[in-house]
Amino acid sequence: MSYKDSKPLTDDLKAVYTTVDEPLALDELEGFAEKWDAKYPKISKSWRKNWAGLSTYFKYPQEVRRLIYTTDTIESFNRQLRKVTKAKSVFPTDDSLLKMLYLAMKDITKKWTGWRQDWSIIHAQLSVYFAGRMPD
């Protein structure tokens, strides 16, 4: 997509996955398609094709959904791992790479001291949806 379209297009797409429920999301997707299909038809086509998988997202409460679509923490973690592996381009064995990533992960997670403000609500909701798989 064109750089000048990226902000308005992503804002319109965000309106799809931040709606309250699935029927409203489908309405937003239709509005997105009307506005953007002339320039970028593959986006709405892809969303419609994969809607069965994407729509499971709407069974979760709003707090959990926000946690799912916010990828800043994951991107930051990946960036820090790349920084460690970039310095050394060749590893003698696969185990040496895994050990280096493991040690980097230990250092990275030591810095994770902050909590999400709504974590207690999210944790309670996840423990309902994933009973038996969530630690207490």
Side-chain angles (χ1 to χ4, degrees), residues 84-125:
V84 169
T85 58
K86 185 179 180 183
K88 186 171 182 167
S89 60
V90 178
F91 293 90
T93 65
D94 289 348
D95 282 342
S96 65
L97 171 63
L98 291 174
K99 286 177 186 177
M100 181 177 258
L101 290 174
Y102 173 76
L103 292 172
M105 182 194 68
K106 295 284 276 183
D107 287 341
I108 293 166
T109 56
K110 281 180 191 173
K111 299 173 190 168
W112 291 354
T113 57
W115 283 86
R116 280 186 62 109
Q117 188 175 13
D118 54 354
W119 178 246
S120 59
I121 296 168
I122 293 170
H123 189 272
Q125 291 169 342

Side-chain angles (χ1 to χ4, degrees), residues 3 6 10 13 31 65 67 70 92 95 105-106 112 136:
Y3 179 76
S6 65
T10 53
L13 199 54
R65 284 193 262 159
L67 180 71
T70 303
D95 282 342
M105 182 194 68
K106 295 284 276 183
W112 291 354
D136 291 332

